[in-house]
C-alpha cells in the first residue's frame, strides 16, 4: 500500500469518527447495526482497515451520510437521495 493510500484511509476514519460523534453513535452500536464486530469499526476509524463496498453502503444507509463525503471526494455530508427538491 502506498503512503497516499494510508492517508486516504485515515481521512475516511477521521470522517467516520466525526459523523459518529455528531450522531452520538458508538463503535458497538454501529457494529451491531452492520452485523460486524466493534473491532472492525475501530479498524475503519483508525485507518487499519478499509471497508468493503457492501460495508461502505451499510455505513451510508445507517448513518445517512454521503459516501462521497466519507471517502473524501466531497465536503457535503448529506446523501443526494435525501436532499429536498
Amino acid at each position: 500500500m502506498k503512503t497516499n493510500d494510508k492517508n486516504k484511509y485515515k481521512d475516511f476514519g477521521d470522517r467516520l469518527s466525526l459523523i459518529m460523534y455528531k450522531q452520538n453513535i458508538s463503535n458497538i452500536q454501529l457494529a451491531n447495526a452492520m452485523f460486524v464486530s466493534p473491532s472492525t469499526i475501530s479498524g475503519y476509524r483508525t485507518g487499519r482497515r478499509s471497508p468493503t463496498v457492501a460495508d461502505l453502503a451499510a455505513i451510508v444507509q445507517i448513518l445517512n451520510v454521503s459516501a462521497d463525503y466519507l471517502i473524501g471526494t466531497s465536503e457535503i455530508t448529506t446523501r443526494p437521495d435525501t436532499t429536498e427538491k
Side-chain angles (χ1 to χ4, degrees):
M1 182 178 296
K2 297 177 186 172
T3 304
N4 291 344
D5 290 342
K6 283 190 173 197
N7 291 338
K8 181 176 14 174
Y9 295 129
K10 182 63 176 161
D11 291 341
F12 173 85
D14 290 343
R15 289 169 181 253
L16 177 60
S17 292
L18 180 61
I19 292 295
M20 290 174 65
Y21 173 79
K22 286 182 175 181
Q23 294 186 20
N24 196 30
I25 294 177
S26 69
N27 285 3
I28 293 171
Q29 290 169 314
L30 183 56
N32 287 343
M34 292 177 61
F35 303 102
V36 298
S37 72
S39 65
T40 296
I41 303 303
S42 177
Y44 296 159
R45 293 178 73 179
T46 60
R48 289 187 324 263
R49 298 181 68 142
S50 59
T52 64
V53 172
D55 283 349
L56 178 60
I59 291 168
V60 164
Q61 290 292 320
I62 293 163
L63 299 180
N64 194 28
V65 65
S66 163
D68 288 332
Y69 172 77
L70 287 174
I71 64 172
T73 60
S74 173
E75 293 303 313
I76 300 169
T77 60
T78 55
R79 292 187 348 221
D81 60 334
T82 60
T83 56
E84 293 185 30
K85 295 181 181 181

